[in-house]
Amino acid sequence: MSALRRKFGDDYQVVTTSSSGAGLQPQGPGPGPQQQLVPKKKRQRFVDKNGRCNVQHGNLGSETSRYLSDLFTTLVDLKWRWNLFIFILTYTVAWLFMASMWWVIAYTRGDLNKAHVGNYTPCVANVYNFPSAFLFFIETEATIGYGYRYITDKCPEGIILFLFQSILGSIVDAFLIGCMFIKMSQPKKRAETLMFSEHAVISMRDGKLTLMFRVGNLRNSHMVSAQIRCKLLKG
C-alpha cells in the first residue's frame, strides 16, 4: 500500500473489494478480496491559504434591503468593475441632468433664439443649444472658467440653479471620491505576500501537543500589531 501511495500520490486511496473482477493488486491466487485504486473526493477548503473564507450567503430574501441602508459600505465592498461603473454612471447622469436644467432655462426664456441679438442680455451668455449648455456646466463644475460662457445677473432662476449645482456637486464628489479613496486604501492584497507553510505539524512544545505552522512575509516592510486567527474544523 505504501508503494501505491508513492506511485499515485495522495489523490487516490486503496480500497478492498470482495468482487472477483480484475483488480489492481490481488491478495492471492483466484477470486477473493482485491484492492482497487479509487480517486479521493476532494473536499473544498473552508479557508484558503490566503485567508479568504469560502462562505457564500444564500436565501437572504428580504434581508438584501439592509445593504441599501448602509450604501457607503456596500459601495466600498463591491468589486472594482462595479465601483468604476457606478462612478462613471453617476457623474454622467448628474452632468446630463444639470446641463438639461440649464438648457431648459435658456429655452423657456427664449435665449436660444435671441442669443445673437446685440442689446439682449441672456441668462447665460453664449449658450445656443444643448452642447453649449453642457459645456457651460462642465466649465462651471470643474472650475475651468474659460470666460466665454458666463451667467448674468438678469436671471434669478439661474442663480438658484447655480447654488443647487454647487451643493449637489460637492455632495457627489465627497461621496464617490471618498468611496474610491477608502477602497484603494484597504490592504486586501497584502495577504498575497504572506506565505504559509505547505504542511502543518503536531509536536510536543512546552510539554503539550501543539499544532504548528510557519508564516513568512515576502516584503521588507515590517507588520506592526499583526494578529493571526485560526479556525479548527472537526469532522
Side-chain angles (χ1 to χ4, degrees):
M1 184 178 297
S2 61
L4 289 176
R5 288 179 178 175
R6 287 195 300 267
K7 182 178 180 181
F8 294 99
D10 295 331
D11 294 335
Y12 294 87
Q13 62 181 353
V14 179
V15 296
T16 302
T17 60
S18 57
S19 61
S20 59
L24 181 66
Q25 184 180 354
Q27 296 291 335
Q34 298 178 358
Q35 292 182 347
Q36 294 182 354
L37 199 62
V38 179
K40 288 184 178 180
K41 293 182 179 180
K42 291 186 177 181
R43 294 185 299 175
Q44 194 174 18
R45 295 178 62 97
F46 178 71
V47 181
D48 290 336
K49 289 191 175 182
N50 59 1
R52 185 178 65 88
C53 293
N54 292 323
V55 179
Q56 295 182 355
H57 300 284
N59 298 325
L60 294 177
S62 60
E63 299 298 328
T64 54
S65 60
R66 295 178 179 269
Y67 289 97
L68 298 178
S69 61
D70 190 7
L71 185 60
F72 188 83
T73 306
T74 302
L75 291 177
V76 172
D77 293 337
L78 287 177
K79 294 183 178 180
W80 270 109
R81 56 178 176 267
W82 291 110
N83 274 105
L84 294 177
F85 175 76
I86 295 175
F87 186 87
I88 296 174
L89 180 63
T90 303
Y91 272 109
T92 303
V93 171
W95 290 347
L96 293 176
F97 173 75
M98 294 305 303
S100 300
M101 296 299 296
W102 285 111
W103 180 84
V104 168
I105 290 179
Y107 178 79
T108 54
R109 289 174 52 90
D111 295 345
L112 302 179
N113 299 325
K114 303 177 182 179
H116 298 284
V117 179
N119 58 353
Y120 180 75
T121 303
C123 181
V124 180
N126 301 313
V127 171
Y128 314 114
N129 46 28
F130 182 79
S132 59
F134 183 80
L135 290 176
F136 167 73
F137 167 74
I138 294 298
E139 294 170 11
T140 307
E141 180 66 22
T143 63
I144 297 175
Y146 291 127
Y148 184 69
R149 298 178 180 88
Y150 54 90
I151 188 172
T152 62
D153 57 352
K154 303 298 183 180
C155 182
E157 59 269 28
I159 297 175
I160 296 175
L161 181 60
F162 179 77
L163 296 176
F164 175 75
Q165 169 186 319
S166 301
I167 296 174
L168 179 63
S170 300
I171 294 175
V172 173
D173 290 341
F175 189 84
L176 293 181
I177 296 177
C179 176
M180 299 294 287
F181 178 78
I182 292 178
K183 188 171 183 63
M184 287 187 296
S185 62
Q186 287 183 340
K188 289 187 176 180
K189 296 297 182 180
R190 185 65 177 88
E192 299 295 332
T193 55
L194 297 178
M195 302 297 295
F196 289 82
S197 56
E198 186 69 22
H199 302 284
V201 297
I202 299 178
S203 63
M204 296 296 296
R205 186 176 181 89
D206 297 333
K208 297 181 180 179
L209 288 175
T210 307
L211 175 66
M212 295 184 295
F213 57 91
R214 300 181 65 183
V215 182
N217 184 15
L218 298 180
R219 296 185 181 271
N220 295 328
S221 59
H222 297 283
M223 301 183 65
V224 182
S225 301
Q227 297 180 357
I228 297 178
R229 247 182 351 178
C230 299
K231 296 181 180 181
L232 177 62
L233 302 179
K234 294 183 178 181

